[in-house]
Amino acid sequence: MKNFIFRILIFFLPLCLISYSIDVLISRNLKKSKTYADGEFTTWNDIYEGKVNSDIVIYGSSRAWEHIDPTMIGDSLHTTAYNLGINGHTFWLQYFRHKLLLENNTKPKLIIHSLDIFTLNKGEDLFNSDQFLPYMLFNTKMKEATISYNGYHFLDYNLPLIRYYGKKDAIKCALELSNHSHVDSVFRVRGFYGQNKPWNDDFEKVKERMKYYQAKYDSASIILFEKYLIECKSKNIKIIFVYTPEYIEGQKFIKNKNELMAIFTGFSKKYNIPFYDYSNDPISFQKKYFYNVLHLNKSGAELFTSKLIADLKKDFFSTGLLPFK
């Protein structure tokens, strides 16, 4: 029996070592991509490698990473800023990034948290799941943060190469980047990417399927969000809530937006957090600044960021809101 077990080990050990080596090679090269998986690797790399280290960080979903330009903010306020918005994800994954940020980088002085109608709802599917591929193996924290979604399973986090099965595009990208002659173009700058897109017909398609949209939120998300607010207060990290411009026709389509905004306003008052709501800003009434009802295009993002900077400067000089010079 012992001989049999020994032979099995002798057979599988080299296979495991080879699999692990190939996994490391694929993951190492995939991380180099600046464009694959919506350019999320550059942000994850900066978080894990301690390269964020900014006085101001921006949290939120795609309405954060497409709407708020950290370079403009940093240059105008004479400080450092980084956009950690994560495309397609609600507060659960935003909070995961927050925890990793504090573990691997210097503590920010100010968080600009972009809120939206999806913030307080935990979805079922792991949107843009390929962004997690290079970081998953033997990563307990990432497993805890993502395994409850539809997407990956226990073996994906614990056995080399399993999660790459069927991921042809990811493997192809990694192989291309293993060739040092391949140049991957810059996508995000300090986490931000302005979308130079024309207006699309997404909203018209949605209206064909439903009369209105009911924003969803759940108690577990609200509890976690409040936990985060308490933690930041205890760490002396200032928070600002921002509801970025949203095209007015889209706002009218959300049946219970006022109900959701009341929750955000309640937290704002309870924890003395400034709440910048741009729902009725002139930008929200001009389609030319959007590529769909939820998202600003590049010119819209630049205009909005300028307005946000002006408001931050105004409050800084009048109330000392910003915790830096």
Side-chain angles (χ1 to χ4, degrees), residues 24 29 84 95-96 140 149 193 197 207 226 228 309:
V24 169
N29 285 304
L84 294 176
Y95 182 62
F96 177 53
T140 302
Y149 294 87
Y193 182 69
K197 295 180 178 179
K207 287 192 295 183
E226 185 162 21
Y228 150 76
I309 290 169

Coordinates of all heavy atoms in Angstrom, one line a residue, residues 24 29 84 95-96 140 149 193 197 207 226 228 309:
V24 N 1.8 30.1 -13.1 CA 2.6 31.3 -12.8 C 3.0 32.1 -14.0 O 2.9 33.3 -14.0 CB 3.8 30.9 -11.9 CG1 4.7 32.2 -11.7 CG2 3.4 30.4 -10.6
N29 N 2.3 37.0 -17.0 CA 2.2 37.8 -18.3 C 0.8 38.5 -18.4 O 0.7 39.6 -19.0 CB 2.4 36.9 -19.4 CG 3.9 36.5 -19.6 OD1 4.7 37.4 -19.7 ND2 4.3 35.3 -19.6
L84 N -10.2 54.1 -8.0 CA -10.3 52.7 -7.8 C -11.7 52.2 -8.2 O -12.0 51.1 -7.7 CB -10.0 52.4 -6.3 CG -8.6 52.6 -5.8 CD1 -8.5 52.4 -4.3 CD2 -7.6 51.8 -6.6
Y95 N -15.6 47.4 -1.5 CA -15.1 47.3 -0.1 C -13.9 46.3 -0.1 O -12.9 46.6 0.7 CB -16.2 46.7 0.8 CG -15.8 46.6 2.3 CD1 -15.4 47.7 3.0 CD2 -15.8 45.4 2.9 CE1 -15.0 47.6 4.3 CE2 -15.4 45.3 4.2 CZ -15.1 46.4 4.9 OH -14.7 46.3 6.3
F96 N -13.9 45.3 -0.9 CA -12.7 44.4 -1.0 C -11.5 45.2 -1.4 O -10.4 45.1 -0.8 CB -13.0 43.3 -1.9 CG -11.9 42.3 -2.1 CD1 -11.2 41.7 -1.1 CD2 -11.4 42.0 -3.4 CE1 -10.1 40.9 -1.3 CE2 -10.4 41.2 -3.7 CZ -9.7 40.6 -2.6
T140 N -6.7 33.4 -0.4 CA -7.8 33.2 0.4 C -8.7 34.4 0.5 O -10.0 34.3 0.5 CB -7.4 32.8 1.9 OG1 -6.6 31.7 1.8 CG2 -8.6 32.6 2.8
Y149 N -20.3 34.6 -5.7 CA -20.9 35.0 -7.0 C -20.9 33.8 -7.9 O -20.1 32.8 -7.7 CB -20.1 36.1 -7.6 CG -20.2 37.4 -6.9 CD1 -19.2 37.7 -5.9 CD2 -21.1 38.4 -7.3 CE1 -19.3 39.0 -5.3 CE2 -21.1 39.6 -6.6 CZ -20.2 39.9 -5.7 OH -20.3 41.1 -5.0
Y193 N -10.6 56.2 -17.0 CA -10.6 56.1 -18.5 C -11.8 56.9 -19.0 O -13.0 56.5 -18.7 CB -10.7 54.7 -19.0 CG -10.7 54.5 -20.5 CD1 -9.6 54.8 -21.2 CD2 -11.9 54.1 -21.2 CE1 -9.5 54.7 -22.6 CE2 -11.8 54.0 -22.6 CZ -10.7 54.3 -23.3 OH -10.7 54.2 -24.6
K197 N -17.2 58.0 -26.6 CA -18.3 57.2 -27.4 C -19.4 58.1 -27.7 O -19.8 59.0 -26.9 CB -18.8 56.1 -26.5 CG -17.8 55.0 -26.2 CD -18.4 53.9 -25.4 CE -17.5 52.8 -25.0 NZ -18.2 51.7 -24.2
K207 N -36.4 50.3 -22.5 CA -37.7 50.7 -22.4 C -38.7 49.8 -23.1 O -39.9 49.7 -22.8 CB -37.9 52.1 -23.0 CG -37.3 53.2 -22.0 CD -37.7 54.6 -22.5 CE -37.1 55.0 -23.8 NZ -37.4 56.4 -24.2
E226 N -22.4 50.6 6.2 CA -22.3 51.3 7.4 C -21.1 50.9 8.2 O -20.4 51.7 8.8 CB -23.6 51.1 8.3 CG -23.5 52.0 9.6 CD -24.9 52.2 10.2 OE1 -25.8 51.4 9.9 OE2 -25.1 53.2 10.9
Y228 N -18.3 50.0 6.9 CA -17.2 50.7 6.3 C -17.1 52.2 6.7 O -16.0 52.7 6.9 CB -17.4 50.6 4.7 CG -17.0 51.7 3.9 CD1 -15.6 51.9 3.5 CD2 -17.9 52.6 3.3 CE1 -15.2 52.9 2.7 CE2 -17.5 53.6 2.4 CZ -16.2 53.8 2.1 OH -15.8 54.8 1.3
I309 N -14.1 69.6 -8.8 CA -12.9 70.3 -8.2 C -13.3 71.7 -7.7 O -12.9 72.0 -6.6 CB -11.8 70.4 -9.3 CG1 -11.3 69.0 -9.6 CG2 -10.7 71.3 -8.9 CD1 -10.4 69.0 -10.9

